[in-house]
């Protein structure tokens, strides 16, 4: 595990979910993803969506468990264009990105499946 | 028929609310998850999966489904759940959001194992008494109705109550109950031991393998496969939901398909596709507030897949409109 730790400081290294509120911030994150080997999990959610609130604790647990994975949270009302780019039609939608390319996605609250796909794509 | 087994036939409850506030916001979707879980606990079921969109939230439960719109709750549970015990708690939680109940509708088919049902579901009479005691007085237009068919195993029970006898804007709903499923088709809803999947991925596999995803290709689907067998899914398409639940075991096999109608979906075609997935020996279709034309089209569609209409009963209930109950059995059967 020690060999995997990057010397670059990213807040998600501390096992947190990074909420991205601006297009600039998102573009930075997206560029970072393109130039790294790290898996990025984007959680598309909305403040008014019950299922999103339901899975929130589980996503935090996953961020703590997988510190070598970047967890990004995007509110579809704040960044509707990004949601549209990723064709988000229902929530929560989890998109797994590697090197800026979508590897997999999960639509809905599927904790076991999210865990399985993160394990599958992280390396 | 088995002596006892899992009860697939669901109890369905629909609660319509209205707001005192000039600005509604997200209404019932504001209810925090702890409150919802509390109510589900009283009904003895838990959340297994969930999915939402701009219009409503959907939850797949351990014993069926829950849909939460800003001013409407629909909960459908099978097995031996005490569904009616959710009425009081839902009314109370809604009140904290300044929402009051204006209509309630309870529907179900006929239980395969009625003796296994707990209070207040031991009989329709008991259910009606319980409902009458637990709904506000201002829902003064009330009616309980049992629509028979030529089969004692298939009747349709409805209790409807409202503050207005003939409300506008009641969407039409179709509830399809299927029994005596084709065993080759039902086998697709059994998990394989050591399949290396979880309930989510196995559910997705069943959705695709059986063609359930083609019933409404526009819908986003939230599915789940139970261990060792059984399947549930909710589909969301704009402000319309659809839901399928399967009990595949031989002897008490059962599948249900329910959908809200809209100008954008071809209901008759969806019902036909759903029936084809299961190849049932007996089908009942109950529509609420659908026009005569729609009922005829659904009848025509079901008759295209090896079944013949054996009965058609109609009744009118307050706050919901016309209820049409049709039953079909396979053409090879004789009643």
């Amino acid at each position: 595990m020690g060999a995997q730790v990057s010397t670059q400081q990213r807040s998600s290294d501390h096992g947190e979910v990074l909420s991205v509120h601006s297009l600039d911030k998102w573009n930075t994150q997206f560029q970072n993803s393109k130039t790294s080997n790290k898996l990025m999990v984007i959680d598309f959610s909305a403040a008014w969506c019950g299922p999103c609130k339901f899975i929130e604790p589980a996503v935090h647990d996953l961020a703590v468990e997988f510190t070598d994975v970047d967890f990004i949270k995007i509110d579809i009302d704040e960044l509707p264009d990004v949601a549209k780019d990723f064709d988000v039609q229902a929530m929560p939608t989890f998109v797994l990105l590697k090197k800026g390319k979508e590897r997999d996605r999960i639509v809905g609250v599927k904790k076991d499946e999210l865990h399985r796909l993160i394990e599958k794509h992280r390396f | 028929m088995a002596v006892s087994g899992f009860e697939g036939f669901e109890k369905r409850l629909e609660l319509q609310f209205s707001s005192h506030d000039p600005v509604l916001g997200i209404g019932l979707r504001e209810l925090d998850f702890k409150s919802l879980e509390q109510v589900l606990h009283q009904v003895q079921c838990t959340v297994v999966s969930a999915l939402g969109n701009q219009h409503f939230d959907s939850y797949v439960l351990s014993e069926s489904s829950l849909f939460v719109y800003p001013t409407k709750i629909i909960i459908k549970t099978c097995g031996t759940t005490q569904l009616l015990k959710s009425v009081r708690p839902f009314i109370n939680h809604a009140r904290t959001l300044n929402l009051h109940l204006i209509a309630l509708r309870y529907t179900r088919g006929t239980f395969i194992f009625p003796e296994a049902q707990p209070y207040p579901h031991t009989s329709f009479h008991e259910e009606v008494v319980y409902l009458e005691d637990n709904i506000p007085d201002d829902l003064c237009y009330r009616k309980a109705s049992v629509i028979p068919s030529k089969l004692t195993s298939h009747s349709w029970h409805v209790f409807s109550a409202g503050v207005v006898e003939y409300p506008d804007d009641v969407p039409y709903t179709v509830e399809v109950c299927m029994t005596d499923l084709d065993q080759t088709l039902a086998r697709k809803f059994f998990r394989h031991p050591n399949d290396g999947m979880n309930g989510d991925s196995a559910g997705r596999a069943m959705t695709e393998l059986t063609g359930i995803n083609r019933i409404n290709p526009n819908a986003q689907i939230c599915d789940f496969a139970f261990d060792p067998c059984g399947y549930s899914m909710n589909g969301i398409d704009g402000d319309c939901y659809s839901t399928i639940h399967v009990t595949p075991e031989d002897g008490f096999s059962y599948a249900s398909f329910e959908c809200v109608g809209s100008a954008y979906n071809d209901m008759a075609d969806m019902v036909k596709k759903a029936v084809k997935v299961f190849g049932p020996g007996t089908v009942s279709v109950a529509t609420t507030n659908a026009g005569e034309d729609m009922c005829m089209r659904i009848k025509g569609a079901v008759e295209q897949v090896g079944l013949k209409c054996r009965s058609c009963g109609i009744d009118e209930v307050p706050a919901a409109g016309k209820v049409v109950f049709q039953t079909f059995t396979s053409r090879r059967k004789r009643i």
Side-chain angles (χ1 to χ4, degrees), chain A residues 48 50-51 54 91 108-110 113, chain B residues 33 49-50 52-53 57 198 223:
Chain A
W48 34 257
F54 178 68
M91 273 79 61
V109 167
K110 286 163 179 290
E113 190 61 356
Chain B
F33 205 72
S49 193
N53 68 11
D57 292 326
N198 52 49
D223 42 27

Side-chain angles (χ1 to χ4, degrees), chain B residues 38-57:
Chain B
Q38 230 176 51
V39 184
L40 293 178
H41 183 69
Q42 300 221 30
V43 179
Q44 300 106 15
C45 56
T46 54
V47 172
V48 151
S49 193
L51 184 64
N53 68 11
Q54 318 92 286
H55 304 279
F56 67 104
D57 292 326

Side-chain angles (χ1 to χ4, degrees), chain B residues 78-156:
Chain B
C78 55
T80 52
T81 48
Q82 295 168 291
L83 180 61
L84 293 184
K85 287 199 164 176
S86 68
V87 173
R88 271 273 101 140
F90 274 136
I91 291 176
N92 291 336
H93 283 301
R95 215 171 271 142
T96 66
L97 298 167
N98 237 343
L99 291 159
H100 59 280
L101 188 71
I102 57 169
L104 175 149
R105 186 165 85 244
Y106 175 67
T107 53
R108 66 167 173 87
T110 303
F111 295 126
I112 302 173
F113 306 109
E115 340 72 41
Q117 292 294 325
Y119 172 81
H121 300 286
T122 44
S123 69
F124 186 53
H125 174 82
E126 190 135 71
E127 289 168 316
V128 172
V129 166
Y130 187 94
L131 282 163
E132 300 259 34
D133 284 347
N134 282 281
I135 61 179
D137 291 333
D138 56 348
L139 270 70
C140 53
Y141 296 97
R142 309 176 176 193
K143 184 170 178 179
S145 171
V146 182
I147 306 177
S149 71
K150 296 214 176 94
L151 306 158
T152 49
S153 55
H154 284 262
S155 300
W156 193 248

Side-chain angles (χ1 to χ4, degrees), chain B residues 28 36 44 97 106 136 166 170 203 221 233 235 241 250 269 300 315:
Chain B
L28 293 161
L36 279 181
Q44 300 106 15
L97 298 167
Y106 175 67
Y166 304 109
V170 178
I221 292 178
M233 82 67 135
Y241 70 87
D250 196 15
D269 188 55
D315 200 0

